[in-house]
Amino acid sequence: MMRSFYNGISGVKSHSYGMDLLANNISNINTPGYKAAVPEFKDIFYQTKATLMGNEQQIGLAASALSSAFSQKQGFLAISDRTLDIAISGKGFFGVKDVDGQTYYTRNGSFGVDSDFNLVDDYGRFILGTMNEGFAKSTMPNGVKEMFGKDSSNTSEGYTLSDISNINIAQVNNQSPIKLPKTLFINAKATTNVDIKANLSKEVKEKTVYEEFTGDVNVEKIQNKNLISLQTEPNQKVLLEFDSQDGKQRIEVVADENGNISKSTSFDVSNLKASLVKEVKEGAINKFETSVIAADGSVQKLQVNIEYIDELNFKANAFLFNSKNEQIGQASGDLSFNPNGSLKTNSLKQINGINLNLGDENPNNEPSKGFNGLNCLDNSKIERQITTDGFAAGVLKSYAVDELGNILANFTNGKTQAIAKLALYNFINEQALTKMGENIFSASADSGAPVFLTDKDNNNFNSAKFLGNYLEQSNVDLATELTQVIIFQKAYDANSKSITTADAMLKRAIEMKK
């Protein structure tokens, strides 16, 4: 009979423990990255009274709390307007280091940057990862300081990186705090190659040109008129320009079959000028223009004009202008094409040290060669492409995070470089991690040391994706928790009832002795 009291008491205690966990879950329903605790129980031991035909008569001696496991279910991923809010979609933990040098682990990706440019969590703990191997202090060029504006007036140093977009994560024990400085910049890279790809136009247009007449032009006064006469080619059109009492006059006349021109005018004639009017055919000029970067980082303009001469030949001229639009370079050459439209020869190779890649030459007219640059194909549309390998200097515009965990620095010149890579820690037994409060865990002997996952070739891979501008919410399901509260409440009532029932039965037994 006495066992009933103790079984009931242990049941009340166990379910009180469970209610504590459920209440804690509900209170953390809005805690980012929180993992719901799951109460687990065990029976303690049994007393065997007798064995009858192989069947033991056993009486259980109460229950107790076994452990508080935590749910591994993925929390809801909520969109955030903060760039450095980062969610883990899948298995794994962020690593954080406290001021005492102790490393902890969390799913809470609510991060920011402290006054020393360290990436930290809401409690000031440093976020761990691998920095870009080229991350170092560097002297700012004057042009870069101007880009930063007033904020850089008191400093002459910033930070630069190696030009990589995906960082190889270091060993698990070699992770360090991530730094995200504001004074990050990228130096200019001079243009050394310009590639042009296009199909050249062979269109021919007629054009009117005026050539100065160098022969004698006579003006004779006859009565009240002036007679203008000259000798030129038969049927040649001539433009006469002169000043009169009524202003500037332009008169076009045509020579007779003998080349004679006689034009009578009532205007006064002074400053007479005669020009031969000719109609000439002009080949299409294919114009290409792009910006290039000089060694000092300034932006220059490159212009390439390719003029059609005849069926298979073109004349090419290249011009280079500085930032003040002053011409600082010129080069010319000839291009010829094969009957199939492929580039046969090209003598325009460079200008001021910049290689002009107009395509592979095909002097022997091979069928599949000479089509990777300029072509001369009839009725063919090839999209114009001009590519260069240089870029201007740029300063930090923003940070972003890719799915691999690279923190990317976006620069004002359009370039992107990875400054760091977030570490993703895994454990053999996540359930054995020790909860430390403030939504962090520490490793234990049962959880095992943290590891990075590797494939058969010992290359690291992630068990999850990183999502920037997202935050993992608590995985507490309020409906489930409230249902569990009702169940635990009923179980608590039932256990307390077993105590009062045992008490009533014991009283009845005592009364029987009376």
Side-chain angles (χ1 to χ4, degrees):
M1 183 69 69
M2 297 301 295
R3 287 189 294 266
S4 300
F5 284 104
Y6 294 107
N7 285 348
I9 291 171
S10 69
V12 168
K13 288 182 177 180
S14 298
H15 287 87
S16 294
Y17 165 77
M19 281 295 295
D20 290 340
L21 295 184
L22 295 176
N24 185 59
N25 287 343
I26 294 172
S27 67
N28 282 285
I29 195 167
N30 288 317
T31 302
Y34 177 79
K35 296 298 181 184
V38 180
E40 296 180 343
F41 304 96
K42 66 175 181 178
D43 49 4
I44 300 178
F45 53 88
Y46 289 83
Q47 179 181 14
T48 302
K49 296 186 65 176
T51 301
L52 180 62
M53 299 179 66
N55 296 321
E56 295 182 344
Q57 295 181 3
Q58 293 181 310
I59 299 176
L61 300 178
S64 69
L66 173 63
S67 66
S68 61
F70 59 89
S71 170
Q72 298 297 310
K73 185 176 66 174
Q74 175 78 51
F76 172 71
L77 302 180
I79 297 176
S80 169
D81 58 0
R82 297 176 59 200
T83 301
L84 295 178
D85 279 348
I86 306 170
I88 297 175
S89 178
K91 291 178 63 65
F93 295 83
F94 297 108
V96 297
K97 181 168 285 190
D98 213 337
V99 290
D100 59 3
Q102 180 66 42
T103 299
Y104 301 100
Y105 309 94
T106 184
R107 295 279 296 193
N108 183 1
S110 178
F111 301 149
V113 178
D114 66 12
S115 58
D116 294 322
F117 308 120
N118 296 299
L119 184 64
V120 295
D121 66 7
D122 292 337
Y123 299 92
R125 289 181 286 256
F126 307 119
I127 310 305
L128 298 179
T130 300
M131 293 297 297
N132 182 307
E133 59 185 11
F135 177 73
K137 282 190 174 182
S138 183
T139 302
M140 290 184 189
N142 290 332
V144 170
K145 290 192 68 175
E146 291 174 2
M147 291 182 192
F148 277 113
K150 295 180 180 179
D151 293 340
S152 67
S153 58
N154 297 323
T155 181
S156 61
E157 285 188 328
Y159 293 87
T160 54
L161 306 170
S162 296
D163 188 10
I164 52 179
S165 58
N166 183 31
I167 295 173
N168 293 322
I169 197 77
Q171 295 297 315
V172 67
N173 294 323
N174 294 331
Q175 302 304 304
S176 60
I178 293 175
K179 280 187 172 290
L180 300 179
K182 292 181 179 179
T183 53
L184 195 65
F185 68 94
I186 182 171
N187 283 310
K189 178 182 177 183
T191 301
T192 57
N193 290 284
V194 175
D195 300 330
I196 301 178
K197 183 177 182 180
N199 187 43
L200 299 180
S201 171
K202 297 188 295 182
E203 184 180 2
V204 177
K205 295 181 179 179
E206 287 192 350
K207 179 181 179 181
T208 300
V209 296
Y210 298 89
E211 294 181 3
E212 184 179 357
F213 178 71
T214 58
D216 294 331
V217 181
N218 300 311
V219 179
E220 184 180 357
K221 188 79 170 179
I222 300 177
Q223 295 181 354
N224 294 326
K225 294 187 177 182
N226 289 306
L227 179 66
I228 303 172
S229 61
L230 56 90
Q231 181 73 36
T232 184
E233 298 294 326
N235 303 314
Q236 173 65 54
K237 188 182 294 185
V238 176
L239 175 66
L240 301 175
E241 297 176 284
F242 56 88
D243 295 328
S244 72
Q245 70 272 21
D246 291 338
K248 190 78 172 179
Q249 302 297 323
R250 289 169 57 91
I251 300 174
E252 203 170 84
V253 293
V254 179
D256 60 20
E257 62 272 11
N258 297 316
N260 296 315
I261 290 179
S262 294
K263 179 63 178 178
S264 178
T265 177
S266 59
F267 292 111
D268 292 336
V269 177
S270 62
N271 299 323
L272 177 63
K273 178 185 176 182
S275 300
L276 302 178
V277 181
K278 296 184 177 181
E279 301 293 331
V280 298
K281 292 184 177 181
E282 184 180 68
I285 299 178
N286 300 267
K287 294 184 177 182
F288 303 90
E289 190 174 295
T290 187
S291 296
V292 295
I293 308 302
D296 63 358
S298 63
V299 180
Q300 299 177 341
K301 182 176 73 173
L302 172 66
Q303 183 176 312
V304 179
N305 298 332
I306 303 177
E307 182 181 1
Y308 175 62
I309 303 301
D310 56 31
E311 187 64 24
L312 298 172
N313 298 291
F314 289 78
K315 182 69 176 179
N317 291 286
F319 305 92
L320 192 62
F321 301 89
N322 62 17
S323 56
K324 297 179 181 179
N325 207 32
E326 299 169 338
Q327 184 175 319
I328 57 175
Q330 181 177 357
S332 60
D334 297 309
L335 284 76
S336 64
F337 292 85
N338 294 303
N340 64 357
S342 63
L343 181 62
K344 184 177 182 180
T345 60
N346 167 34
S347 61
L348 179 61
K349 300 294 186 179
Q350 63 172 260
I351 179 172
N352 287 32
I354 299 174
N355 297 319
L356 301 177
N357 304 315
L358 306 183
D360 295 336
E361 296 177 62
N362 183 19
N364 298 323
N365 197 18
E366 299 176 35
S368 59
K369 189 177 179 181
F371 292 99
N372 62 340
L374 294 180
N375 302 130
C376 186
L377 302 168
D378 293 330
N379 302 319
S380 178
K381 291 184 179 180
I382 298 177
E383 183 179 356
R384 285 191 170 203
Q385 295 180 2
I386 305 177
T387 57
T388 65
D389 62 352
F391 50 81
V395 298
L396 179 66
K397 181 180 179 181
S398 64
Y399 284 116
V401 180
D402 68 13
E403 291 185 349
L404 298 177
N406 292 294
I407 300 179
L408 305 175
N410 299 315
F411 295 92
T412 54
N413 62 355
K415 299 290 288 184
T416 297
Q417 294 177 344
I419 183 172
K421 192 168 193 175
L422 293 161
L424 183 65
Y425 294 89
N426 284 274
F427 294 87
I428 296 174
N429 181 14
E430 294 179 350
Q431 288 292 346
L433 290 171
T434 302
K435 296 181 179 179
M436 304 299 294
E438 297 178 351
N439 214 359
I440 61 173
F441 301 86
S442 65
S444 68
D446 291 334
S447 70
V451 296
F452 291 160
L453 301 183
T454 57
D455 59 21
K456 64 179 181 179
D457 297 322
N458 206 34
N459 296 317
N460 291 102
F461 70 91
N462 288 339
S463 56
K465 293 180 180 179
F466 293 91
L467 301 176
N469 289 106
Y470 279 85
L471 204 57
E472 182 182 10
Q473 302 300 299
S474 169
N475 68 352
V476 173
D477 185 335
L478 185 58
T480 300
E481 298 302 311
L482 292 178
T483 301
Q484 287 292 96
V485 166
I486 295 172
I487 294 172
F488 274 60
Q489 180 186 17
K490 295 301 182 183
Y492 185 95
D493 291 343
N495 278 280
S496 62
K497 187 67 175 177
S498 71
I499 296 173
T500 58
T501 301
D503 178 57
M505 293 175 66
L506 185 58
K507 284 182 179 179
R508 180 58 59 89
I510 293 172
E511 290 174 355
M512 288 175 62
K513 187 176 180 181
K514 295 179 180 180

